[in-house]
Amino acid sequence: YTREGRDGLRAGGASEAGVLYEKMLLRWSPKEAECDIVYPADDDFEEPDIHDYDAITWTGSSLCAHSGEHTSNKQIEFARKVLYGGPPGFGSCWAVQVAAGGSD
């Protein structure tokens, strides 16, 4: 989601996908876990060192990976780094889109 998309969800009383995923991961993790939520679509995104993580999960998104929009392309660029040198990953519909876009 873009910042504007997340703002719209909160304004409508909905939870952000990242927050929902975080709650699920923390609840069902077989051991104590920590989660960081990052927003690669944001203009002020500071990329974390992906090697500091045991895994990366991708939530859903309102974006379309093949739209050619800057926000989607930033996520595909980040996905490439994860796919070709990062820790294992997990995700659903959005994960498949960015993985396909990042696996040229």
Side-chain angles (χ1 to χ4, degrees), residues 68-96:
E69 294 179 16
H70 174 69
T71 51
S72 297
N73 291 340
K74 287 181 68 175
Q75 293 207 22
I76 291 170
E77 290 170 21
F78 185 57
R80 279 192 179 110
K81 292 176 183 175
V82 172
L83 287 167
Y84 292 111
F90 167 81
S92 55
C93 53
W94 179 244
V96 173

Side-chain angles (χ1 to χ4, degrees), residues 5-86:
R6 295 188 311 271
D7 290 345
L9 287 171
R10 284 191 301 272
S15 297
E16 297 174 31
V19 173
L20 293 172
Y21 256 62
E22 178 183 38
K23 288 179 180 179
M24 183 267 308
L25 291 169
L26 294 175
R27 179 176 180 190
W28 295 106
S29 176
K31 61 181 184 173
E32 188 173 326
E34 295 179 33
C35 295
D36 293 326
I37 301 173
V38 299
Y39 301 103
D42 290 358
D43 287 332
D44 60 351
F45 172 62
E46 292 187 27
E47 188 174 305
D49 182 348
I50 59 176
H51 300 100
D52 289 343
Y53 295 89
D54 295 321
I56 294 183
T57 60
W58 295 88
T59 66
S61 180
S62 60
L63 301 173
C64 176
H66 302 287
S67 67
E69 294 179 16
H70 174 69
T71 51
S72 297
N73 291 340
K74 287 181 68 175
Q75 293 207 22
I76 291 170
E77 290 170 21
F78 185 57
R80 279 192 179 110
K81 292 176 183 175
V82 172
L83 287 167
Y84 292 111

